[in-house]
Amino acid sequence: MFKNISMAMIAVFSFMVMSGCSSPNPYGDAYGSGDTRSIQQVYYGTVVKAEPVTIDASDQTNVIGTIAGAAIGGILGSKVGGGSGSDIAAIGGGLLGGYAGSEAAGAAGKRNGVNLTLKLEDGQTIAIVQEANPNMIFQPGQAVQVNVDGSTARVVPR
């Protein structure tokens, strides 16, 4: 019975880790279902500067990775030895698993981005950071469209 519960816990935590680290296409040309049928303000402008940046979402994924790693490490550690040796192995496995899960989640939470400085047609200069898309490289002087929905924006070539 405990073996089935352990396997179920491993499956649940593995799913949580994988779902926490995967995301739909985050580029400026990707839209989620929540973005459909919403009115967006549109601005036109020109790229002044495009700088590569690292987008760090590890603090969002780190907690899930730590918990999942600790649970899996604790379960696997409890299978070692018997009696108090099993308890010590479970604690050690939990600590090591938590650390490994945290590190893996931290690495998975980093993405390449681009900080775009734009000069809009109305004279305003703005900056927007979005995930870098290798198929959509921005260059200074390039004409772009900025779609704004509330406090979020995305930049696409014009």
Side-chain angles (χ1 to χ4, degrees):
M1 178 174 153
F2 289 112
K3 187 174 186 177
N4 291 339
I5 293 172
S6 296
M7 294 306 289
M9 287 178 65
I10 290 172
V12 168
F13 284 119
S14 296
F15 175 75
M16 286 172 56
V17 169
M18 289 167 50
S19 65
C21 296
S22 65
S23 64
N25 180 349
Y27 306 133
D29 63 345
Y31 293 86
S33 61
D35 296 323
T36 60
R37 299 178 57 174
S38 67
I39 296 174
Q40 298 179 358
Q41 188 71 36
V42 177
Y43 300 92
Y44 296 105
T46 305
V47 175
V48 175
K49 185 168 45 170
E51 298 176 299
V53 296
T54 300
I55 298 171
D56 186 0
S58 62
D59 50 333
Q60 297 169 354
T61 58
N62 234 357
V63 174
I64 294 172
T66 301
I67 293 169
I72 292 169
I75 291 167
L76 295 175
S78 70
K79 304 296 180 197
V80 176
S84 63
S86 177
D87 295 341
I88 292 169
I91 292 168
L95 291 172
L96 289 174
Y99 176 76
S102 175
E103 291 297 308
K110 294 186 189 294
R111 293 183 168 79
N112 292 326
V114 61
N115 182 4
L116 297 166
T117 303
L118 310 170
K119 181 78 165 182
L120 301 180
E121 288 180 343
D122 68 1
Q124 266 188 96
T125 300
I126 64 170
I128 298 173
V129 175
Q130 67 185 32
E131 190 156 338
N133 181 343
N135 298 319
M136 190 171 30
I137 304 299
F138 294 97
Q139 300 293 327
Q142 180 179 1
V144 293
Q145 176 176 319
V146 182
N147 300 329
V148 179
D149 184 10
S151 63
T152 63
R154 67 179 79 231
V155 180
V156 293
R158 211 164 129 185

